Amino acid sequence: MSGELDEPQAGSSYAEDRRNPEVNWAWVPGGVIQRAGALGPRSWIQKVLEQIADSPLHWVTPSEVVPVAVLAVQRLEDEPRDIVRKPPRYCYDVTISDRVYQEKCFLDPRLNFLVYKNILKVGIEMKMFRVSCLYNEKRLGQGILCIDNIHCGEETLDTISSATPFRNSAHEEIPERPLRGGKSHYLALWNNEDPYGDIWLTNKQPEEYNFNHTKIIFLAHLEMSWTNRRNYPALLVRIMHKSRLRYYGRPNKKMIEPYQTFLEVADSSGTVSVIMWNALCPEWYKCLRVGLILLLQDYSVKKSFPFRLQPLPVDSQIKLISTMEVSLNLQDPPSNITIITERQVKSEWRLPKLNHHFITISELDDMPEKQICDVVGILVFVGRVQRLKKKENSEDFWTYHWIHIADGTSEQPFIVELFSTSQPEIFENICPMTYFMCTQLKVVRNNNQVPKLLYLTTTNENRMFIIGHRGQPYVNNTKIKNFIHWVKTKTDSGEMKNTVIGGYYPYPPVPETFSKYSTSIKVQSLLTAMSEVRKEIESLQYREQKRIAIQGIITIIKYISHSSATGSSSVSETLQKVNQPSTSQTAIKESQSQELDGKQDDGSVSAQTTCTSLSPPKKKRILQGLFAKLVPIPQPETSPQTRENIPDMPCIFQCIENASTGIKWKARKTLTHRWESQLWREKKFGLRDHLRYSFVYPESIPRKFVFKHKKFLIQQYNCQPAKYIAPEERPQKLTDFKSARSLGHFEITILGLNHERAIDVAFLPLYHPEDIQISQIDTLLACMNYSCVYPQKVTDSEKMPGPRALAGDIIKAVTELDRVHVISILDICNLGNNKVEVYLHKIYRPDNAP
């Protein structure tokens, strides 16, 4: 993928300096470099900088283009500029290495889209075709290398040496600073909530304090008298809640560290909000935790913000003070914060204790909507990190996981929508088989839809813990003791090893009717025209997932088994790349479409006959005839008499036991079920646009979690890091890890109502963490109607549906939908690096459809 600009970046001319008459030196951005006579390998970065120094244009196209490795992609807030069009809010510094030197460069903002799509990322090779220089005119000799035109490699390098020195020693200084802009630090690469970089301190410790000359006031007394005071006595309080960070920076604001966080603190008389501002946040945020005792001095008090909803006190006997709030800042006045050791606490202070409101899974069903609770359990599923745009047309995103927490009180787990809580050291390292505690979760439920909606989501004060429970104040809680006992029994039996990580996660489910769906979502346009789908897909950024609704007609359904998907991956990926913008796009698309469709026509069957009104014997003969045309019938090695009792059906799975005969028979590993409508044959060659997004990438397959390789698996399902991390073991691939799914997937083609455009999408049947032996097989139609990712177990008395039932339901479903206008709910997922998937989540048939 290339990024290029048509106009050169203007710069300043260079001056030459002969400090040493015996050596030829040249001024280059960021310092002085020796031109000749250096020992060791020649640096390509150095040669390029020398070309810029000699260029009257102040930008160059290097005479020799050598691949460089990308070691870091770091985000910062851009500084205000006087340009007509609205500039991007953020810009990026990119650290490269030519294996001789490292160099930190500035990425021209017009190439930001390469980062948005995760095309420009750490660990790849990159070719730079045009570079320029940008000077900081407020500093002497501070020139930086600017990247104007690049081509990014698609493959991640196995190993990159990060031991090469920086050419400019200023880039090695600690704390690390951006090349340009008025900010003193970098932001987290994919959200604004996580503290990132070395400005965030962790060295504040509790200390012994002499209270002899310190006057302390209770919060309730302060509430009554703060308007009449100029100087406020000290507050001695305990932290009851701590919010996530809020970054409120803007390019036109001159705040160097524009952060804000809320602490809910309490003493024996009440609880109040404390707001920590700006530079105090990097100094204190990571040092403060819930439960610590603080002595606050030189603070300010003001009237509280009327629209902020405070969390409820942990003790119902403590008064909630909502008329005022306490502010802590480095100025006006400079606040003084001291962490007091627990052993100094006196009983007469009557400081409140932490009081957790733990619930179990068995109790969740009785919890009302928006109820706040705490949970503890063991992680049995951790989904991949996804991103959600905060506002339409915004550059800011939330990051979140879907996770499952088991506590032994129910067959079902807690389903939790876990947003980043400014704890990246935990959020980026959670994995299955981990003891997990989560506080301040909110209940989300809707009992009026099918399936019933019930899950937990994070709040602004949510905190996560993944450490052991020994020594914690809540270990004496009865529910905690029961959980610890249950975990020991499960660990000993080995049942906890069957856990899952990553993959596409279709949650929350949509309601059973389109009318309910239309009232449950908040979008400007309920339906997306087929002509607008490409724009919707191309607008998504890395790990962003969006749900849309389109109208159309299902014309093809094809089942792809695991082995078939592996074998056809190269073809599918090629078709995916056809959707990317290209000058030769049309010609490639037409030739590949005709070639692929031509091959599929030979084996296709039009199954428009409705089987519902036929008698069972006739129905069986028709289905057997349809299946016989689809694929050859496997013949088990049995006697002719026994063979007559075996259903003539193609087998989807490798080994199935026949219910009537008890005989096991094997099927081909690459068998494919396919149905195509006559309408598709009539319209497919006259399409104006055919989007192909039915390929399922390895990242979207949930994998069996292997604790031995947890670092690799966690890294694969997290967002791309800002800095290169060398692998600790030999390079691996996701396909080396066993899928948690027993079924393959479906490729479905939806034709627009005007018969001008079509889209290929994927459909993944449900999976279960114990789905090795197919504990439950959901048919195509059942999955679309009930999008539950954690289905009920099948009891021993129930018969597991075999391939005959599954294939029969598929044929029946598609024949009933032939030429029927349907509303399809699609999930669009951008995996980065030009990898996009579109999944069919649900099908509605509107009442007024023809």
Side-chain angles (χ1 to χ4, degrees):
M1 180 68 183
S2 298
E4 59 179 292
L5 308 177
D6 296 329
E7 298 297 329
Q9 180 72 36
S12 303
S13 60
Y14 292 93
E16 293 190 356
D17 182 29
R18 306 286 183 178
R19 296 188 177 182
N20 189 336
E22 298 179 357
V23 181
N24 186 12
W25 299 86
W27 279 104
V28 294
V32 179
I33 287 185
Q34 185 177 349
R35 283 189 183 273
L39 300 177
R42 179 73 162 150
S43 168
W44 179 81
I45 294 174
Q46 178 173 323
K47 289 194 295 184
V48 169
L49 291 171
E50 290 174 358
Q51 291 179 38
I52 295 178
D54 293 335
S55 172
L57 299 175
H58 317 310
W59 63 270
V60 296
T61 56
S63 56
E64 177 188 9
V65 177
V66 174
V68 294
V70 180
L71 295 179
V73 179
Q74 295 170 285
R75 184 173 66 111
L76 65 147
E77 190 171 79
D78 201 1
E79 59 186 17
R81 288 177 288 167
D82 297 328
I83 57 178
V84 177
R85 63 182 182 86
K86 182 181 178 182
R89 181 179 173 185
Y90 304 105
C91 52
Y92 298 88
D93 288 347
V94 180
T95 302
I96 61 174
S97 170
D98 63 2
R99 293 168 178 80
V100 178
Y101 284 127
Q102 292 186 40
E103 183 76 13
K104 186 180 288 187
C105 310
F106 178 73
L107 183 71
D108 190 288
R110 286 173 286 182
L111 299 183
N112 281 3
F113 71 94
L114 296 175
V115 181
Y116 298 160
K117 304 290 186 179
N118 199 39
I119 297 169
L120 174 55
K121 58 183 179 179
V122 299
I124 64 168
E125 280 191 335
M126 177 179 73
K127 293 182 179 179
M128 302 166 58
F129 294 100
R130 188 173 69 178
V131 294
S132 59
C133 179
L134 180 68
Y135 274 102
N136 185 341
E137 296 178 349
K138 293 184 179 181
R139 296 182 182 179
L140 185 62
Q142 291 293 315
I144 58 178
L145 189 65
C146 297
I147 301 174
D148 297 335
N149 181 8
I150 57 176
H151 178 85
C152 298
E154 295 184 2
E155 298 297 327
T156 302
L157 300 173
D158 290 340
T159 57
I160 301 175
S161 175
S162 56
T164 53
F166 276 95
R167 180 197 61 83
N168 185 350
S169 60
H171 296 169
E172 296 181 291
E173 294 179 356
I174 297 176
E176 188 178 25
R177 294 292 180 260
L179 290 175
R180 64 190 295 268
K183 302 298 183 288
S184 63
H185 65 291
Y186 289 109
L187 301 170
L189 185 56
W190 303 114
N191 67 28
N192 286 344
E193 284 67 47
D194 290 342
Y196 172 82
D198 46 26
I199 69 167
W200 298 88
L201 305 182
T202 58
N203 59 352
K204 306 289 186 180
Q205 299 296 330
E207 59 184 71
E208 298 283 345
Y209 185 82
N210 187 353
F211 288 93
N212 291 337
H213 303 288
T214 302
K215 184 179 179 181
I216 296 175
I217 188 172
F218 286 105
L219 290 173
H221 295 165
L222 181 65
E223 180 190 23
M224 294 184 292
S225 61
W226 71 272
T227 55
N228 301 323
R229 292 176 179 266
R230 291 188 176 181
N231 299 315
Y232 306 109
L235 295 173
L236 185 64
V237 292
R238 188 187 297 275
I239 301 177
M240 312 306 288
H241 298 294
K242 174 184 172 183
S243 77
R244 64 165 63 97
L245 279 171
R246 174 177 173 261
Y247 181 82
Y248 65 94
R250 294 291 184 273
N252 58 349
K253 290 183 178 290
K254 294 185 178 181
M255 291 288 184
I256 296 178
E257 292 159 349
Y259 287 99
Q260 177 196 68
T261 190
F262 285 84
L263 303 173
E264 302 301 322
V265 302
D267 62 13
S268 60
S269 67
T271 179
V272 74
S273 295
V274 173
I275 309 176
M276 186 176 293
W277 292 93
N278 304 329
L280 273 183
C281 290
E283 181 181 353
W284 281 96
Y285 184 81
K286 296 187 73 172
C287 303
L288 300 179
R289 67 177 187 272
V290 173
L292 285 181
I293 301 171
L294 300 182
L295 182 69
L296 305 179
Q297 302 176 84
D298 301 323
Y299 53 88
S300 61
V301 183
K302 61 179 182 178
K303 188 177 180 180
S304 61
F305 186 67
F307 301 107
R308 179 178 178 266
L309 184 63
Q310 289 178 261
L312 296 176
V314 295
D315 189 341
S316 58
Q317 303 299 319
I318 298 179
K319 178 184 178 182
L320 180 64
I321 299 174
S322 58
T323 57
M324 70 172 189
E325 58 189 24
V326 176
S327 292
L328 304 177
N329 213 325
L330 276 181
Q331 55 187 4
D332 302 327
S335 300
N336 187 356
I337 305 172
T338 306
I339 304 177
I340 305 300
T341 59
E342 192 72 32
R343 61 176 173 267
Q344 271 196 287
V345 177
K346 298 179 181 179
S347 57
E348 57 265 28
W349 293 349
R350 295 183 292 121
L351 289 177
K353 301 290 185 180
L354 292 180
N355 186 16
H356 293 95
H357 299 283
F358 289 110
I359 67 165
T360 63
I361 300 170
S362 58
E363 295 171 334
L364 178 62
D365 202 45
D366 298 325
M367 300 287 287
E369 170 80 4
K370 297 183 180 181
Q371 179 72 34
I372 302 298
C373 59
D374 306 327
V375 302
V376 64
I378 189 167
L379 293 171
V380 293
F381 167 74
V382 177
R384 67 186 177 200
V385 175
Q386 300 176 176
R387 301 170 70 217
L388 177 66
K389 193 169 289 186
K390 293 183 177 181
K391 296 180 181 179
E392 195 68 26
N393 301 320
S394 171
E395 295 184 54
D396 295 332
F397 288 80
W398 303 107
T399 54
Y400 67 100
H401 287 282
W402 284 100
I403 63 173
H404 289 178
I405 306 173
D407 69 357
T409 64
S410 170
E411 292 291 336
Q412 301 295 319
F414 288 113
I415 299 178
V416 181
E417 183 184 31
L418 187 67
F419 285 86
S420 175
T421 58
S422 304
Q423 297 173 277
E425 67 282 356
I426 297 180
F427 186 80
E428 296 173 2
N429 288 285
I430 61 174
C431 64
M433 300 176 64
T434 301
Y435 300 133
F436 192 74
M437 174 180 165
C438 211
T439 64
Q440 291 293 293
L441 293 172
K442 182 173 65 174
V443 177
V444 179
R445 70 181 310 138
N446 185 350
N447 296 331
N448 297 323
Q449 76 171 55
V450 179
K452 181 177 67 175
L453 186 67
L454 179 61
Y455 66 93
L456 301 173
T457 189
T458 49
T459 61
N460 194 44
E461 292 78 25
N462 171 245
R463 296 282 96 189
M464 302 178 292
F465 306 90
I466 60 174
I467 59 176
H469 304 293
R470 182 174 299 176
Q472 297 297 326
Y474 53 80
V475 292
N476 294 323
N477 185 290
T478 302
K479 294 176 182 177
I480 301 300
K481 289 182 177 180
N482 293 338
F483 165 70
I484 294 175
H485 175 72
W486 173 77
V487 166
K488 289 180 179 179
T489 60
K490 288 295 181 181
T491 303
D492 295 339
S493 65
E495 295 183 30
M496 276 298 133
K497 294 181 180 179
N498 199 16
T499 52
V500 179
I501 187 171
Y504 162 67
Y505 189 90
Y507 207 84
V510 296
E512 70 276 16
T513 64
F514 185 68
S515 59
K516 289 185 178 180
Y517 171 80
S518 61
T519 58
S520 66
I521 61 172
K522 299 178 181 179
V523 292
Q524 293 182 351
S525 178
L526 182 62
L527 293 170
T528 301
M530 190 68 81
S531 60
E532 299 172 345
V533 174
R534 180 186 290 275
K535 182 180 178 181
E536 292 284 353
I537 293 173
E538 293 177 350
S539 67
L540 293 189
Q541 296 191 23
Y542 173 57
R543 286 292 178 89
E544 185 179 1
Q545 184 167 312
K546 188 174 185 179
R547 184 167 288 177
I548 64 172
I550 65 170
Q551 296 187 84
I553 304 167
I554 294 180
T555 55
I556 297 177
I557 296 182
K558 180 169 62 174
Y559 178 79
I560 306 296
S561 64
H562 285 307
S563 53
S564 297
T566 304
S568 62
S569 62
S570 59
V571 177
S572 300
E573 286 187 276
T574 301
L575 291 176
Q576 287 278 72
K577 292 178 181 178
V578 172
N579 292 315
Q580 304 302 325
S582 171
T583 54
S584 58
Q585 187 181 84
T586 305
I588 295 175
K589 184 184 298 182
E590 290 178 354
S591 63
Q592 288 186 337
S593 175
Q594 294 178 12
E595 180 181 358
L596 183 66
D597 291 331
K599 290 180 180 179
Q600 292 175 344
D601 284 349
D602 296 336
S604 61
V605 176
S606 178
Q608 300 182 31
T609 306
T610 303
C611 302
T612 55
S613 60
L614 300 177
S615 62
K618 291 184 179 180
K619 185 175 181 180
K620 176 179 178 181
R621 287 197 298 271
I622 291 176
L623 288 176
Q624 289 176 347
L626 289 173
F627 286 134
K629 294 179 182 179
L630 284 171
V631 289
I633 300 173
Q635 299 294 331
E637 296 181 1
T638 57
S639 64
Q641 292 80 10
T642 307
R643 188 180 298 122
E644 291 178 358
N645 296 325
I646 298 177
D648 295 337
M649 294 288 179
C651 204
I652 296 177
F653 306 102
Q654 293 183 354
C655 187
I656 303 292
E657 182 174 354
N658 182 268
S660 60
T661 64
I663 298 174
K664 295 183 179 181
W665 54 300
K666 292 186 177 181
R668 293 183 182 180
K669 294 182 179 180
T670 57
L671 289 182
T672 300
H673 294 286
R674 185 176 187 276
W675 171 83
E676 178 181 312
S677 72
Q678 182 63 33
L679 177 63
W680 177 252
R681 294 185 177 186
E682 297 170 358
K683 302 295 182 180
K684 63 183 177 182
F685 294 114
L687 296 178
R688 296 178 58 183
D689 195 9
H690 187 177
L691 303 176
R692 293 179 169 89
Y693 289 99
S694 60
F695 180 66
V696 177
Y697 288 94
E699 299 96 311
S700 293
I701 302 297
R703 305 284 172 180
K704 287 291 180 180
F705 181 71
V706 181
F707 191 83
K708 177 182 177 181
H709 302 291
K710 71 172 187 176
K711 288 187 177 180
F712 170 78
L713 291 171
I714 289 172
Q715 184 180 12
Q716 294 301 304
Y717 292 111
N718 270 329
C719 285
Q720 191 70 220
K723 288 188 175 182
Y724 173 74
I725 303 173
E728 297 182 0
E729 50 191 17
R730 67 174 181 83
Q732 294 176 296
K733 295 181 179 179
L734 273 177
T735 51
D736 296 336
F737 295 87
K738 188 174 182 179
S739 169
R741 300 171 50 82
S742 295
L743 300 177
H745 68 277
F746 294 89
E747 294 182 353
I748 300 175
T749 300
I750 303 173
L751 180 67
L753 296 183
N754 294 322
H755 300 174
E756 295 179 339
R757 293 175 172 84
I759 182 171
D760 296 343
V761 300
F763 176 76
L764 271 67
L766 310 186
Y767 74 88
H768 189 284
E770 299 178 359
D771 196 16
I772 298 177
Q773 300 296 328
I774 316 172
S775 62
Q776 176 172 339
I777 300 175
D778 288 65
T779 64
L780 178 68
L781 213 55
C783 286
M784 291 175 183
N785 288 335
Y786 302 99
S787 300
C788 175
V789 182
Y790 206 102
Q792 297 282 348
K793 282 187 176 181
V794 175
T795 62
D796 295 337
S797 61
E798 295 176 309
K799 292 184 179 180
M800 293 188 301
R804 175 176 180 175
L806 179 61
D809 285 343
I810 294 173
I811 294 295
K812 182 175 181 295
V814 296
T815 55
E816 290 177 351
L817 294 176
D818 188 25
R819 293 182 181 267
V820 173
H821 293 185
V822 297
I823 299 174
S824 302
I825 308 300
L826 305 180
D827 287 342
I828 309 173
C829 311
N830 187 320
L831 303 181
N833 199 20
N834 288 328
K835 294 189 291 187
V836 178
E837 298 171 331
V838 181
Y839 291 99
L840 179 61
H841 183 77
K842 189 175 180 64
I843 289 177
Y844 294 110
R845 181 172 177 175
D847 297 334
N848 58 348

